[in-house]
Amino acid sequence: MRVEKPKKNKIKPKKNVKKKSTDSKLRFNILSFFTYVCGIIILSRLFSLQIIGGDEYRNTSNTRLSRETTIDSTRGNILDRNGTSLVSSEMTFSLEMYKSKADNESLNSSISLMSKILQANGDSYVDNFPISINPFNFNFSSEEKLKEWKKTYDIPETASAEEAFYLFRDKYEINSDDIEEVRRILAIRYEITTKGYSATRSLEIAKSISRNSAIQLQEHSTDLTGVNVVTESNRIYNMGNLASHIIGYMGRIDKKDLERLESKGDTYEYEPSDKIGKAGIERVFESYLRGTDGIKQIDMDVNGTITGEYVTQEALGGSDVVLTIDANLQRVTEEALAQCISDIQSGAYGRQAYNAKGGSAVVINVNTGEILAMASNPDYIPQILYNGISNEQYADYNNRNVWFNKSIQGTYSPGSTFKMITAIAGLEAGVISPSEYINDTGVYYNGNQQKKCWYFTDYGVGHGPLNIIGALAKSCNYYFYETGKRVGIDTLVQYEKHFGLGSKTGIELAGESAGILAQRKQGETWVLGNTLNVAIGQGDNSFTPIQMAKYIGMLANGGNNIDVTIIKDIINSDGSSIERSKLNEYVNKELGNPSEKNDGIAINPETINIVKEGMRSVTEVVGGTAYSVFKDFEIEIGGKTGSVETARAEGADVHAWFVGFAPYDNPQIAVVVVVENGGHGYYTADVVKKVMQEYFGTNTESIVENMAIESEMESFN
């Protein structure tokens, strides 16, 4: 019998504990050794820096000052459609000083050289030191102010101007016997005392110095203590007051500007001294025009001498904004409007004079909606506002309210220029026909109410039987009273809205008014008399000239919608253009413009042609209300006069309108003119004629007519 031995449990051998302990101690010792070595090296280096070479490094540190300055970006230009520069920027030079550790002798020597260079090149610098020489005199407006000044600067009350002068010379340790040199140095030293400066905050010594001065100052930089030439961008309005309401102006940024920019999500960091766009294109397109400033690092020694300069961030120029306007056409439009206003005031048109109070003229491309010219009178000079306007000039501007852009902010009842809307509504609704004649007896009866045609008021009789073309040519109120009654207010409003009346056009300028649309409101009583007033352009309807330009432009192009714009392109500094969709998105956000909705109205081309024929009769057919202005004009146009009272009282203003388009067979442009208290729409037709002469390049001479004899002028109710 085999007996198996029991299996023994296997036991793993234990590691060598002694060996493990020895390895750990070795690693610890090595690590400690390296730590001690590194510590010794660091301590040795610190000892060398602070003890052995401390004086040398301290001296080097004290002679090396570094500060950052801003490199102004070049603001983008504003151009007309042909590339003519309306607004540009140019680089200018200014001079500033920083505080340094230079002694009085070095500082005075630096100031003397600096002022001598500026003076030699005809550049001025700050000089508020109140003592003049040759002869010595105090420059104070009163004895009280002189006494107060002496007390402030510890000058004895009995001291003469000459004595005070030399007290300041000694105070600033000016060691010169040349009294004129002393006076130059005192001017700057006194400014330093009164205004103060530091190693990081500069004091402006001179603005807009010549290039020669800038070059010579930089050439002598090693001899000038704390002096720095600064390159700045200056805004130049090249055309004076041309298109001022379109272009706008720039001014120093304020709290309201910052709040407005923040509300738009603009995170650009402005300095308190920065100038930004305050109105017009300058304001709306500030984000594109301004560019991005650069940063320059300046190294200076302890005496303020520049030892090195380098750019840490390049400046990026702003984008150019190209407008749709034509500079020459804009000039002619503004001049023609101003002349018309002056002629109305003087009674040059043959009837009574009116106290015309300004006005607006708008020229639009009827196919694209581009604004070719837009004038608002009175206007202003943007350069004055940029450089600094005087109190007297500012008060004058305020009194004349030059800030108000009448083209997009002024709202006026359209008068008889509205009658094309009534005609279209009547024809499209089928309540009138081209062949129907309505007999104008002179007085239209609405129950017990009598409404007289202007012709009856002036001549005691009505126009007699008229069809739609004749009614437009003679601007017959009676005809349009009857048409308005048949159409009704709701249909009139429908076509008003189709032509953009009572709504913002979306032009890329701030402050546009939506105007007022007279219409039936829920819960409000609406009577027939209100409809009759609306039908002839009276009543509560009130529209802007820019809306009227869109309306006439759409009528001229066959009733098709047009998107009004004054921006042709925006060109970045690298030459690329902003996509139109991105531009529209920016403008809508900036101005809060609502997106337009298609009303679904399609107007019969025959209706448009009939109404346009009526407008042609206004200017081309004897008896038309503007016939004598355009009878010899080389280009056939369609037009309409309009006159409207602002109130039913004697002495109330009578606004004068003329609207027109040309050429008649193939319309390209429409022109709208309104003159506040202009008396008669006929008077403003001459503005339209001059604008069309410029646009089409005709040589037709101005025709002066006896209006009382050769024209039938509509009056007002």
Side-chain angles (χ1 to χ4, degrees):
M1 182 176 182
R2 185 178 178 183
V3 178
E4 293 185 4
K5 294 181 181 180
K7 293 181 179 181
K8 294 182 180 180
N9 293 329
K10 293 182 178 181
I11 301 174
K12 293 180 180 181
K14 294 182 179 180
K15 292 182 178 180
N16 192 325
V17 177
K18 184 176 180 180
K19 184 179 179 180
K20 180 180 179 181
S21 175
T22 302
D23 292 343
S24 297
K25 287 181 179 180
L26 180 61
R27 285 195 296 270
F28 177 77
N29 290 337
I30 292 172
L31 181 62
S32 298
F33 174 77
F34 278 110
T35 302
Y36 286 131
V37 170
C38 290
I40 291 170
I41 292 173
I42 292 171
L43 289 172
S44 299
R45 183 59 178 161
L46 291 173
F47 181 81
S48 175
L49 290 172
Q50 296 184 17
I51 306 301
I52 298 176
D55 290 340
E56 179 183 353
Y57 288 116
R58 191 176 298 108
N59 183 60
T60 301
S61 176
N62 288 338
T63 58
R64 183 178 297 164
L65 301 174
S66 181
R67 64 174 60 91
E68 287 184 346
T69 62
T70 299
I71 305 174
D72 282 357
S73 60
T74 303
R75 192 172 178 88
N77 302 313
I78 300 177
L79 313 170
D80 84 338
R81 66 186 300 111
N82 302 311
T84 302
S85 177
L86 305 174
V87 188
S88 59
S89 294
E90 66 175 12
M91 300 312 294
T92 60
F93 305 98
S94 297
L95 191 62
E96 61 185 15
M97 285 188 70
Y98 289 91
K99 188 175 183 179
S100 67
K101 293 185 178 181
D103 56 25
N104 274 320
E105 182 178 356
S106 298
L107 180 59
N108 291 335
S109 175
S110 177
I111 291 173
S112 178
L113 175 59
M114 175 181 64
S115 60
K116 187 175 181 180
I117 290 173
L118 292 172
Q119 196 174 61
N121 290 299
D123 294 321
S124 59
Y125 51 87
V126 290
D127 187 354
N128 296 306
F129 187 58
I131 301 175
S132 56
I133 59 175
N134 298 323
F136 287 100
N137 279 308
F138 287 117
N139 301 320
F140 289 96
S141 58
S142 67
E143 286 295 324
E144 290 74 15
K145 290 185 178 181
L146 173 59
K147 289 180 181 180
E148 184 180 347
W149 178 79
K150 285 183 175 181
K151 183 178 180 181
T152 300
Y153 291 97
D154 295 325
I155 305 295
E157 278 192 38
T158 58
S160 65
E162 183 176 3
E163 291 168 339
F165 179 89
Y166 285 108
L167 284 172
F168 271 95
R169 184 198 65 173
D170 296 340
K171 174 184 178 180
Y172 295 130
E173 300 179 9
I174 302 173
N175 300 317
S176 174
D177 295 327
D178 184 341
I179 191 172
E180 292 187 355
E181 180 184 20
V182 173
R183 179 63 181 73
R184 294 199 313 270
I185 297 171
L186 283 178
I188 307 300
R189 292 298 301 267
Y190 183 76
E191 192 74 10
I192 292 172
T193 299
T194 56
K195 298 288 181 64
Y197 67 165
S198 69
T200 57
R201 183 176 64 85
S202 64
L203 173 67
E204 188 173 75
I205 302 300
K207 289 193 69 173
S208 299
I209 63 175
S210 64
R211 183 174 293 273
N212 284 340
S213 286
I215 293 172
Q216 292 171 25
L217 288 165
Q218 289 173 334
E219 288 174 348
H220 290 86
S221 60
T222 56
D223 302 318
L224 298 173
T225 300
V227 176
N228 184 39
V229 176
V230 181
T231 304
E232 297 176 320
S233 179
N234 189 36
R235 201 65 166 159
I236 306 297
Y237 294 88
N238 300 305
M239 301 290 184
N241 62 340
L242 186 77
S244 58
H245 287 99
I246 298 172
I247 292 167
Y249 63 93
M250 293 184 69
R252 194 175 298 277
I253 193 168
D254 57 29
K255 185 178 179 180
K256 289 184 178 179
D257 294 321
L258 288 172
E259 291 174 351
R260 174 175 57 82
L261 291 167
E262 288 173 1
S263 69
K264 306 291 183 184
D266 195 324
T267 58
Y268 187 85
E269 294 184 5
Y270 286 92
E271 296 293 333
S273 60
D274 285 343
K275 291 182 177 180
I276 69 167
K278 294 279 190 175
I281 296 297
E282 292 277 34
R283 170 179 169 170
V284 175
F285 293 94
E286 168 70 18
S287 299
Y288 285 104
L289 288 165
R290 69 189 174 202
T292 303
D293 291 341
I295 300 174
K296 181 171 67 175
Q297 194 81 17
I298 300 176
D299 291 337
M300 307 176 76
D301 64 19
V302 69
N303 294 320
T305 302
I306 295 175
T307 59
E309 296 184 15
Y310 51 95
V311 175
T312 58
Q313 179 178 309
E314 293 285 353
L316 182 64
S319 303
D320 290 345
V321 177
V322 183
L323 304 180
T324 59
I325 69 169
D326 178 284
N328 289 331
L329 189 65
Q330 179 73 25
R331 175 183 53 78
V332 169
T333 302
E334 291 185 8
E335 291 176 352
L337 178 62
Q339 186 62 52
C340 176
I341 292 169
S342 176
D343 289 344
I344 290 172
Q345 291 171 339
S346 66
Y349 286 105
R351 286 196 177 184
Q352 72 182 80
Y354 290 83
N355 183 26
K357 301 174 182 177
S360 165
V362 181
V363 186
I364 190 171
N365 183 311
V366 303
N367 298 305
T368 66
E370 292 180 342
I371 300 300
L372 304 178
M374 188 169 73
S376 179
N377 182 285
D379 55 19
Y380 56 85
I381 302 175
Q383 195 72 61
I384 292 177
L385 297 165
Y386 183 82
N387 292 337
I389 190 170
S390 67
N391 291 332
E392 294 78 10
Q393 183 72 68
Y394 188 76
D396 174 63
Y397 276 0
N398 275 339
N399 290 336
R400 295 190 294 123
N401 194 20
V402 302
W403 322 113
F404 192 68
N405 186 348
K406 294 174 181 177
S407 298
I408 67 170
Q409 294 176 298
T411 57
Y412 312 92
S413 291
S416 292
T417 60
F418 182 85
K419 289 174 180 175
M420 288 82 78
I421 294 283
T422 306
I424 291 171
L427 290 167
E428 288 293 286
V431 298
I432 60 172
S433 69
S435 60
E436 179 185 6
Y437 281 77
I438 295 175
N439 185 28
D440 173 17
T441 60
V443 180
Y444 189 87
Y445 291 93
N446 174 33
N448 295 326
Q449 185 182 25
Q450 296 181 4
K451 301 182 80 65
K452 299 175 182 178
C453 182
W454 69 267
Y455 197 74
F456 180 84
T457 302
D458 283 4
Y459 301 106
V461 295
H463 285 106
L466 293 172
N467 64 4
I468 182 62
I469 293 175
L472 285 169
K474 297 180 181 297
S475 197
C476 177
N477 289 347
Y478 189 104
Y479 184 99
F480 290 100
Y481 285 141
E482 177 60 23
T483 303
K485 177 182 177 181
R486 297 180 188 182
V487 170
I489 188 60
D490 295 334
T491 302
L492 281 175
V493 168
Q494 185 181 9
Y495 284 94
E496 288 179 74
K497 290 181 177 180
H498 175 73
F499 283 95
L501 298 175
S503 300
K504 293 182 179 181
T505 65
I507 190 171
E508 301 92 343
L509 294 170
E512 183 183 8
S513 172
I516 300 173
L517 197 64
Q519 57 187 317
R520 190 196 311 270
K521 297 178 182 177
Q522 188 174 5
E524 184 180 75
T525 301
W526 185 270
V527 298
L528 178 58
N530 293 338
T531 302
L532 301 183
N533 285 335
V534 169
I536 65 165
Q538 305 283 345
D540 293 333
N541 271 342
S542 189
F543 309 131
T544 62
I546 192 74
Q547 288 174 12
M548 295 291 288
K550 177 176 180 176
Y551 150 47
I552 300 302
M554 287 180 62
L555 196 159
N557 74 21
N560 302 310
N561 182 55
I562 51 178
D563 295 322
V564 176
T565 182
I566 203 163
I567 301 298
K568 189 77 172 175
D569 196 6
I570 294 184
I571 304 173
N572 296 321
S573 56
D574 62 2
S576 63
S577 293
I578 302 296
E579 293 180 7
R580 195 72 200 189
S581 59
K582 184 178 179 181
L583 174 60
N584 292 339
E585 182 181 346
Y586 170 85
V587 171
N588 290 339
K589 180 181 178 182
E590 186 72 19
L591 301 179
N593 291 334
S595 57
E596 289 190 4
K597 296 181 180 179
N598 192 323
D599 58 14
I601 293 178
I603 301 175
N604 189 326
E606 183 60 26
T607 295
I608 295 292
N609 290 336
I610 291 168
V611 172
K612 287 167 64 175
E613 177 60 26
M615 295 178 71
R616 189 192 69 83
S617 298
V618 169
T619 62
E620 302 293 332
V621 177
V622 176
T625 54
Y627 169 72
S628 61
V629 177
F630 294 99
K631 66 178 183 179
D632 294 324
F633 197 55
E634 295 179 5
I635 296 173
E636 194 173 40
I637 78 166
K640 186 71 187 76
T641 55
S643 307
V644 57
E645 282 185 340
T646 59
R648 300 290 182 180
E650 187 176 349
D653 288 351
V654 181
H655 298 330
W657 286 93
F658 189 87
V659 300
F661 65 88
Y664 177 77
D665 290 330
N666 183 25
Q668 295 179 31
I669 65 168
V671 187
V672 166
V673 180
V674 62
V675 173
E676 297 174 347
N677 200 30
H680 297 279
Y682 175 92
Y683 297 165
T684 60
D686 195 48
V687 178
V688 177
K689 179 180 178 181
K690 290 176 180 176
V691 169
M692 290 185 174
Q693 283 176 338
E694 171 64 23
Y695 182 83
F696 293 109
T698 64
N699 296 315
T700 304
E701 297 180 359
S702 178
I703 301 170
V704 179
E705 298 289 344
N706 182 335
M707 299 186 321
I709 297 175
E710 295 206 34
S711 69
E712 292 189 34
M713 298 193 323
E714 67 167 312
S715 184
F716 39 83
N717 299 349

